[in-house]
Amino acid sequence: MLRPSTILMQRAMRIGMIPADGIGREVLPVAQRVMTAAPGAPQFEFVPLQAGFEHFQTTGEALPQVTIDTLKNECDAAMFGSVSSPSHKVEGYSSPIVRLRKELGLYANIRPVSGPILPGSPIQSPVDIVTIRENTECLYIKQETLEETPNGKVARAIRQITESASTRIGKKAMEVALSRKTMRAKAGSQDPTKVTICHKSNVLSVTDGLFRTSVRAVYESDKKENGGQGRYEGILLDEQLVDSMVYRMFREPNVFDVVVAPNLYGDIISDGAAALVGSLGLVSSVNAGDSFIMGEPVHGSAPDICGKNVANPIAAVRSAALMLEYMGYTEPALAIYRAVDAVLTQGKVLTPDLPGGKATTSEVEGAILRALA
């Protein structure tokens, strides 16, 4: 977790705002207004920035250099809306969010799934899972080839797993687990804290094998270095094959706590976990490095509802709160979480992606602001 510096506490916090595509332009302004209204929040200065497929279509640039430079040199954190990456190859285009993660050293994507159980959910008991997704490699390095052969076209993709990136994400997962353990203890909870390594090393023994052993080494070396009583004492370590994890996640989600996974698996299981709480429109994330953090709702750009004022802003609002939490501003973050949970529990002001929801984006924003007050 990052901590607010003395300099930052003496001036407005500069937040780069990158709505990008589709409903990002509708939900990010809501998150901005909720952050500003949160009790205990610092002063904010919001810096509008450009990126996205729509920007690429008009300028030929998906991620302008000025956006990168402004984030690096002038901003304390950032919020990203959504991106409309096409499903087919477009010459000259690459995903701006993937590049931003690399440019800013945001090697961890932290995606919690929790909150009230809504009507229509496949489970009836509360779920509290956080996925720590490695953000920089796996198949997302996007080294693909396509060649013609006598038997037709052959496409290949390189999957990269490194010891250094796997160790780094393993440490991040342990730090998140430590934070959750501390918070549970303060709340008087006796629930154990567990880290589950998600992999497929029974088939991909080299790449997933390296990820698995690298994360395990973080846990085991801590014990050796501290005579069996390391910092991670009291945290359980478990493993789960990715295919069986998907099954168990829907059948018995309560067995999972902190899940650490390579990039592709982490992307898939965290999106799937959104079904446990009712909608992708509820699920937040942050892209975290060692010195910068960027909030990002898990949902996509949703072009079918863009401009209709029915997009669910809660994922963006929760992402803003998560960004504040990981920067050390726990009071306003908790206030936002509680306000959102109050609106969801009451169940009267919900967008159409949720069971029985008929409210507009603006009406949900109003309900959250009233709950904050």
Side-chain angles (χ1 to χ4, degrees):
M1 182 180 290
L2 306 178
R3 298 292 180 187
S5 67
T6 303
I7 294 174
L8 182 54
M9 294 173 71
Q10 292 173 349
R11 63 163 173 79
M13 183 194 293
R14 298 189 188 101
I15 308 293
M17 301 295 283
I18 314 167
D21 301 320
I23 62 170
R25 295 190 297 273
E26 299 174 56
V27 298
L28 230 57
V30 177
Q32 177 175 319
R33 290 188 285 269
V34 170
M35 274 193 288
T36 303
Q43 292 293 310
F44 294 110
E45 179 184 339
F46 296 101
V47 183
L49 297 168
Q50 295 293 328
F53 185 61
E54 293 167 29
H55 188 74
F56 171 81
Q57 288 177 307
T58 57
T59 67
E61 283 186 304
L63 180 60
Q65 188 61 42
V66 66
T67 295
I68 298 170
D69 293 341
T70 302
L71 290 173
K72 286 182 175 179
N73 301 322
E74 300 179 24
C75 295
D76 303 301
M79 286 290 299
F80 190 93
S82 60
V83 66
S84 296
S85 291
S87 57
H88 59 282
K89 181 177 176 59
V90 175
E91 195 63 39
Y93 176 80
S94 62
S95 171
I97 188 63
V98 172
R99 186 180 167 200
L100 269 176
R101 290 167 181 164
K102 292 179 180 178
E103 291 278 355
L104 299 171
L106 306 177
Y107 60 85
N109 189 238
I110 302 172
R111 294 183 171 185
V113 172
S114 63
I117 301 301
L118 300 178
S121 170
I123 59 169
Q124 299 304 315
S125 58
V127 58
D128 186 12
I129 303 171
V130 58
T131 301
I132 314 297
R133 167 190 170 193
E134 202 291 317
N135 229 5
T136 66
E137 48 181 30
C138 192
L139 284 170
Y140 287 52
I141 61 171
K142 297 193 71 173
Q143 292 186 15
E144 298 180 287
T145 61
L146 180 65
E147 62 178 295
E148 296 280 357
T149 74
N151 295 319
K153 295 178 180 178
V154 176
R156 293 185 176 89
I158 294 175
R159 183 176 193 251
Q160 176 179 296
I161 301 289
T162 65
E163 183 179 31
S164 59
S166 302
T167 299
R168 186 172 59 179
I169 202 67
K171 289 179 179 177
K172 180 66 76 175
M174 297 302 168
E175 293 300 321
V176 170
L178 276 178
S179 177
R180 285 163 75 83
K181 183 173 180 286
T182 300
M183 293 294 286
R184 285 170 179 163
K186 287 181 178 179
S189 171
Q190 301 298 315
D191 291 344
T193 302
K194 180 172 68 173
V195 174
T196 300
I197 309 170
C198 177
H199 61 82
K200 188 67 177 174
S201 62
N202 60 327
V203 176
L204 301 170
S205 57
V206 177
T207 49
D208 274 18
L210 179 59
F211 182 84
R212 172 187 174 274
T213 56
S214 298
V215 176
R216 289 199 71 93
V218 171
Y219 183 80
E220 291 160 2
S221 63
D222 174 70
K223 285 188 174 182
K224 290 178 183 177
E225 292 168 6
N226 295 280
Q229 296 290 323
R231 294 179 64 239
Y232 308 141
E233 189 68 26
I235 294 175
L236 306 176
L237 187 65
D238 192 18
E239 300 181 25
Q240 191 75 54
L241 296 177
V242 62
D243 45 356
S244 58
M245 179 172 176
V246 172
Y247 177 80
R248 291 195 73 190
M249 186 173 68
F250 286 102
R251 296 279 296 188
E252 10 172 24
N254 57 301
V255 304
F256 297 110
D257 184 11
V258 177
V259 179
V260 58
N263 208 337
L264 179 63
Y265 303 158
D267 194 5
I268 293 170
I269 61 176
S270 58
D271 276 15
L276 299 173
V277 290
S279 171
L280 275 173
L282 299 176
V283 180
S284 61
S285 81
V286 289
N287 300 279
D290 294 326
S291 59
F292 198 86
I293 195 160
M294 178 169 65
E296 179 196 1
V298 171
H299 60 67
S301 60
D304 56 321
I305 60 170
C306 181
K308 297 181 180 180
N309 195 28
V310 294
N312 192 338
I314 287 177
V317 169
R318 280 178 164 170
S319 296
L322 196 61
M323 178 193 71
L324 290 173
E325 177 189 347
Y326 275 87
M327 293 187 75
Y329 293 96
T330 53
E331 182 183 341
L334 283 170
I336 294 171
Y337 294 145
R338 288 167 181 156
V340 168
D341 285 353
V343 171
L344 290 172
T345 301
Q346 196 174 40
K348 295 179 180 179
V349 186
L350 303 176
T351 44
D353 58 308
L354 298 171
K358 298 179 181 179
T360 65
T361 307
S362 304
E363 288 169 338
V364 173
E365 175 188 351
I368 294 171
L369 291 173
R370 288 192 295 274
L372 269 178

